[in-house]
């Protein structure tokens, strides 16, 4: 199984932290209605009330993913990445893989063209962080 180096894992964590931070800001803009709700959730939202519910959940989940990325980075710097953290990234990778498939069938072109590559990249990066990290100091 592929086992990326500490340097690659550190870069991957930094990319995730940047992407999840940007996504958090996007969800805040959506909740503030800077982004029209018709462009969110694949164009399938029926009302502003529905948007508030879905975007609140999205913001919470994204904040969890951001926190997990920061934790992973800290554990990596200590030379130990706990098993539960790797399970979280397997779960996050799976969620974003499914999200990528959902983005491909979105009603809005904006989501298909913009969100699909982002969710695919996040999924790939998350899966790269799942393998056991062994601090090889030789």
């Amino acid at each position: 199984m592929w086992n990326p180096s500490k340097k690659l894992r550190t870069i991957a964590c930094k990319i995730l932290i940047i992407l999840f931070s940007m996504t958090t800001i996007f969800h805040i803009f959506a909740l503030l209605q800077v982004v029209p709700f018709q462009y969110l959730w694949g164009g399938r939202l029926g009302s502003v009330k529905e948007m508030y519910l879905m975007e609140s959940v999205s913001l919470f989940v994204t904040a969890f993913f951001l926190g997990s990325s920061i934790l992973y980075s800290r554990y990596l710097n200590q030379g130990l990445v706990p098993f539960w953290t790797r399970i979280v990234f397997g779960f996050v990778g799976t969620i974003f893989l499914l999200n990528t498939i959902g983005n491909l069938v979105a009603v809005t072109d904006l989501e298909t063209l913009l969100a699909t590559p982002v969710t695919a990249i996040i999924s790939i990066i998350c899966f790269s962080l799942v393998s056991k990290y062994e601090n090889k100091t030789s």
Side-chain angles (χ1 to χ4, degrees):
M1 177 177 227
W2 182 56
N3 195 0
S5 68
K6 181 178 179 180
K7 183 177 182 177
L8 283 175
R9 288 174 191 255
T10 301
I11 292 168
C13 281
K14 287 179 181 179
I15 292 169
L16 286 178
I17 290 168
I18 291 167
L19 289 174
F20 288 139
S21 295
M22 292 171 59
T23 305
T24 299
I25 293 167
F26 176 81
H27 289 304
I28 291 169
F29 282 162
L31 285 167
L32 295 173
Q33 296 186 30
V34 174
V35 179
F37 79 90
Q38 295 87 350
Y39 294 109
L40 306 171
W41 287 87
R44 291 181 168 81
L45 294 177
S47 67
V48 173
K49 184 178 177 181
E50 191 177 351
M51 179 273 297
Y52 281 127
L53 174 66
M54 299 304 286
E55 283 300 315
S56 295
V57 170
S58 294
L59 182 59
F60 175 78
V61 170
T62 302
F64 172 77
F65 294 159
L66 176 59
S68 297
S69 300
I70 292 168
L71 270 177
Y72 191 103
S73 180
R74 287 183 183 163
Y75 285 129
L76 189 61
N77 288 332
Q78 295 172 3
L80 171 69
V81 177
F83 180 71
W84 69 267
T85 309
R86 293 184 293 126
I87 289 175
V88 167
F89 278 92
F91 174 73
V92 174
T94 302
I95 293 295
F96 276 93
L97 177 62
L98 295 172
N99 194 306
T100 300
I101 295 166
N103 289 337
L104 288 171
V105 297
V107 175
T108 60
D109 289 338
L110 177 67
E111 189 153 354
T112 301
L113 297 174
L114 183 64
T116 300
V118 173
T119 57
I121 289 168
I122 290 173
S123 180
I124 291 166
I125 291 172
C126 286
F127 284 131
S128 76
L129 297 176
V130 172
S131 62
K132 184 175 182 180
Y133 173 69
E134 297 174 8
N135 189 7
K136 298 176 184 172
T137 54
S138 302

